[in-house]
Amino acid sequence: MSQSITTKELARRVVNREDTWILDVRNTDEFDDWKIEGDSVHVINEPYFNLLDGVETLTEKISKDQEIIVVCAKGGSSQMVAELMEEAGFTNVYDLEGGMKAWSEHLEPVKIADLNGGGSLYQFARLGKGCLSYMAISENEATVIDANRMTDVYERFAEEKGVTIKHTIDTHLHADHISGGRQLAEHTGGTYHLPPKDAGDVTFDYKPLDEGNDITVGNTTIKVQPLYSPGHTIGSTSLIIDDQYLLTGDILFVKSIGRPDLAGKADDWVGDLRETLYSRYKALSDDLVVLPAHYSFVEELGEDGSVKARLGDLYQRNEGLQVDDEQAFRTMVTENLPPQPNEYENIRQTNMGKMNPEDEKQREMEIGPNRCAVHG
Amino acid sequence: MMEAAKVLDAKGMACPMPVVKTKKAMEEINSGDILEVHATDKGAKSDLTAWAKSGGHELVDQAEEDDVLKFWIKKA
């Protein structure tokens, strides 16, 4: 029997930049669309169906005593290939439990900071998809921002910390992943906040996330301050936490900026995006630490696995913030749009409550990269 | 409907079995014959297509009926 490795162990390796060799045995189209990435990750693709008659051809790429992790879509083929490799004399083969499906659902929490009055702020990186979500903790309460579909992860984490999730907030109506915000609030008896301008068509009750209506975590210790910042969606709202951290949602990332077209409104919303990035954010303190809802490149992960940057630094080096000419900005944003995320329209409908797909269908809808950014 | 030399029932099987069984069944038919495959694993669609292509076989037709994916593959 071959040995297995869990997504948790693999995530630690990616974050710690340990040299890792992966043999991805999915078919090449799927591999090209989406794969495991990391500074220290080397990936080889060879579809499993090319290995059924023998795995000897792999020795051209992998030596027999080299450590290799075999990965497939759900874990079945990788286990078969790992066993074939062991029979052929490869001595250090692992298969990834649950495959890319499990990888896309793994959340890795990293502590970002201690907050005022003994509070703390955590970032949950979904390494397989590049989504970032957050939990702010103070006294015996927690607020979760941009929660992913795997709500049990946040619930378990809150339980370990001995806190109750009182609020869940989405910075905008997501189009790349299914939000866990509403479900998480239902489970914990909390309140789900959503920007009202993104919630015109939703089928459920929510609390409007409006500038001026601060949310507190704990008695009064941590302030979560909404800041209207449209452009990715018409309702996109940033959050300033504890006067130090700027949660930008999908408006501003570390190496790129948000895209305005996921509701088919690129031309309408590009002006809002410009206004938010070049005026509203610019009026804020340079010392705010930007915490986005996504990252696109593994280089964006810091030494500790977190994704963050000082706002003032981003005005120096993020290419999306260096375009002085408004027309040039408009052209860059509307003409440089990457392919839209898989199933983004169905994901929006689900997040509005208009569709209620089964768990398995929800998983399938989310397969693939997030593609929420415009790269300058 | 085209005439299949053999019908493979791979319903309920998870990846990699539909492709493994298809490959085996292909070995049992003659060049130019058609194998009909029934599967329920969603991944079978792209994998069987890619597998057929890499082996030089021709995916003559495919259909989906009541959640069952059907493929007709002509042996090279």
Side-chain angles (χ1 to χ4, degrees):
Chain A
M1 275 295 284
S2 60
Q3 311 168 75
S4 294
I5 182 169
T6 62
T7 51
K8 173 101 192 146
E9 289 167 278
L10 182 58
R12 288 321 306 168
R13 280 165 164 253
V14 171
V15 166
N16 294 334
R17 291 172 163 75
E18 290 171 37
D19 229 26
T20 303
W21 285 80
I22 290 175
L23 171 63
D24 190 323
V25 296
R26 291 175 301 153
N27 72 57
T28 303
D29 286 349
E30 287 167 18
F31 173 79
D32 286 345
D33 191 34
W34 175 56
K35 56 181 170 284
I36 295 173
E37 292 175 87
D39 280 354
S40 58
V41 175
H42 315 270
V43 197
I44 299 161
N45 174 232
E46 187 60 65
Y48 67 93
F49 44 77
N50 291 342
L51 299 168
L52 296 175
D53 286 328
V55 296
E56 283 300 325
T57 50
L58 290 174
T59 51
E60 291 166 18
K61 297 168 183 164
I62 309 160
S63 62
K64 288 203 165 175
D65 57 355
Q66 181 183 337
E67 187 194 75
I68 186 95
I69 300 169
V70 188
V71 173
C72 69
K74 295 178 191 167
S77 302
S78 60
Q79 195 182 354
M80 177 190 74
V81 170
E83 282 168 13
L84 291 172
M85 288 175 75
E86 289 216 318
E87 283 165 24
F90 288 86
T91 55
N92 212 353
V93 185
Y94 295 81
D95 74 275
L96 179 67
E97 274 179 30
M100 291 301 282
K101 186 168 107 176
W103 179 245
S104 98
E105 296 189 343
H106 180 78
L107 296 179
E108 188 65 19
V110 180
K111 188 171 182 180
I112 294 289
D114 290 317
L115 301 178
N116 191 23
S120 47
L121 181 60
Y122 291 86
Q123 181 180 60
F124 291 74
R126 188 172 176 185
L127 296 168
K129 234 183 129 48
C131 297
L132 301 167
S133 50
Y134 297 89
M135 190 185 291
I137 291 176
S138 176
E139 295 173 334
N140 55 1
E141 292 185 13
T143 292
V144 179
I145 297 114
D146 289 330
N148 282 198
R149 173 169 55 75
M150 296 71 74
T151 52
D152 56 322
V153 178
Y154 308 102
E155 286 183 65
R156 268 205 311 274
F157 194 82
E159 201 174 310
E160 277 168 30
K161 301 285 171 194
V163 297
T164 306
I165 297 170
K166 291 275 191 186
H167 301 281
T168 66
I169 304 171
D170 275 337
T171 54
H172 60 287
L173 185 79
H174 294 284
D176 68 298
H177 67 268
I178 295 169
S179 168
R182 179 162 55 109
Q183 190 188 11
L184 188 56
E186 279 169 12
H187 283 188
T188 62
T191 305
Y192 176 46
H193 305 255
L194 190 62
K197 287 190 176 169
D198 277 3
D201 291 330
V202 305
T203 60
F204 46 81
D205 289 334
Y206 67 96
K207 181 141 193 213
L209 181 69
D210 281 322
E211 208 172 296
N213 292 338
D214 294 354
I215 297 161
T216 51
V217 193
N219 282 335
T220 49
T221 42
I222 307 292
K223 193 166 63 171
V224 179
Q225 218 181 321
L227 174 78
Y228 182 52
S229 55
H232 175 64
T233 63
I234 189 67
S236 289
T237 300
S238 306
L239 300 168
I240 299 172
I241 295 186
D242 206 21
D243 297 321
Q244 297 173 72
Y245 297 92
L246 176 64
L247 274 63
T248 53
D250 283 3
I251 288 291
L252 175 61
F253 308 116
V254 169
K255 294 227 161 146
S256 55
I257 59 173
R259 62 189 288 171
D261 66 316
L262 294 183
K265 299 277 178 67
D267 290 332
D268 294 352
W269 291 355
V270 64
D272 289 329
L273 185 65
R274 172 91 187 167
E275 165 82 15
T276 294
L277 292 174
Y278 286 76
S279 305
R280 264 169 236 229
Y281 278 1
K282 217 157 198 171
L284 303 172
S285 163
D286 275 351
D287 287 327
L288 284 172
V289 174
V290 170
L291 297 169
H294 284 116
Y295 68 96
S296 311
F297 303 104
V298 280
E299 308 95 85
E300 293 175 57
L301 291 172
E303 287 291 315
D304 60 352
S306 70
V307 178
K308 62 182 181 204
R310 201 177 147 269
L311 182 60
D313 292 347
L314 292 187
Y315 276 111
Q316 300 295 319
R317 60 182 163 83
N318 184 316
E319 285 180 22
L321 299 178
Q322 316 296 324
V323 187
D324 291 332
D325 180 64
E326 194 166 339
Q327 192 52 45
F329 180 82
R330 181 171 281 272
T331 304
M332 178 190 84
V333 168
T334 53
E335 290 181 5
N336 253 343
L337 292 168
Q340 284 163 327
N342 296 346
E343 301 250 19
Y344 74 100
E345 191 51 44
N346 286 337
I347 291 175
R348 292 180 74 244
Q349 298 285 330
T350 304
N351 286 337
M352 287 189 256
K354 288 182 166 178
M355 266 175 73
N356 193 14
E358 290 172 15
D359 287 357
E360 194 56 33
K361 177 66 188 160
Q362 294 197 11
R363 277 195 193 104
E364 273 172 32
M365 284 162 66
E366 285 193 333
I367 291 292
N370 70 62
R371 300 190 183 122
C372 271
V374 175
H375 305 293
Chain B
M1 187 57 64
M2 66 206 73
E3 196 64 38
K6 190 179 173 71
V7 179
L8 170 70
D9 180 4
K11 293 197 291 289
M13 291 179 191
C15 185
M17 291 322 287
V19 175
V20 171
K21 295 280 187 194
T22 300
K23 182 174 181 300
K24 203 156 172 285
M26 272 312 239
E27 285 161 11
E28 292 163 9
I29 64 172
N30 296 320
S31 182
D33 282 352
I34 288 176
L35 175 70
E36 183 176 332
V37 182
H38 300 177
T40 46
D41 185 55
K42 292 272 190 294
K45 201 168 181 167
S46 49
D47 284 2
L48 273 174
T49 307
W51 170 80
K53 201 175 163 196
S54 80
H57 308 299
E58 186 191 348
L59 181 62
V60 189
D61 201 6
Q62 53 180 314
E64 187 167 351
E65 293 168 16
D66 301 332
D67 287 334
V68 179
L69 302 164
K70 296 186 175 179
F71 307 88
W72 288 268
I73 308 169
K74 191 173 181 178
K75 184 168 175 170

